[in-house]
Amino acid sequence: MMNRYEMIYIIDTGLEEAARKELIEKVSALVTANGGEIEKVDETWGKRRLAYAIDYKTEGWYVLVTFKGPAELPRELERNLQISENVLRYLVVKLEEKRSAVKPRPVRPAAEEAAPVEAAPVEEAAPAEEAAPAAEAE
């Protein structure tokens, strides 16, 4: 059975564009070589500032990959990404399909709906000047 996964990894910005493209292709080829199917490779995040310095680097190139694959594939990907010195961080997450155990409510026609509730009348509060002499009288 094929599971859906999402993987994000951060590439060192010191890497030249050609080498970066080659690394992205290598990771995609690794997915397909291990029985996976690439759904989408998203590089639109691009170069971003990191929340904290990683190996004295403050920026990274973010790549998001959505793919399907067997259950053993994420472990193999993580092993290869950990070995690569140009990948600063990575995360592989299994995407869960939403399943609802709750039955949907029947939809009532508009005529059956209750009439709107009218707001209760609001009494005006006594002015502050009148309330002050009453407090002094006590």
Side-chain angles (χ1 to χ4, degrees), residues 96-116:
E96 294 289 333
E97 292 182 26
K98 268 191 163 178
R99 294 184 188 156
S100 179
V102 179
K103 292 182 182 177
R105 286 185 181 172
V107 178
R108 290 188 280 162
E112 290 181 13
E113 290 184 21

Side-chain angles (χ1 to χ4, degrees), residues 40-60:
K40 183 177 161 186
V41 177
D42 186 8
E43 292 181 59
T44 57
W45 289 24
K47 188 176 176 180
R48 297 214 170 198
R49 186 167 180 81
L50 301 174
Y52 54 91
I54 301 172
D55 295 331
Y56 303 105
K57 295 171 178 72
T58 57
E59 290 184 328

Side-chain angles (χ1 to χ4, degrees), residues 4 9 21 28 47 62 77 90 92 109 116:
R4 290 191 68 219
Y9 55 100
K21 296 278 185 199
S28 298
K47 188 176 176 180
Y62 285 71
L77 282 173
Y90 58 88
V92 181

Side-chain angles (χ1 to χ4, degrees), residues 69-84:
E72 308 83 38
L73 181 56
R75 185 176 294 127
E76 181 63 20
L77 282 173
E78 288 174 352
R79 187 182 72 78
N80 281 279
L81 290 171
Q82 192 169 11
I83 292 170
S84 176

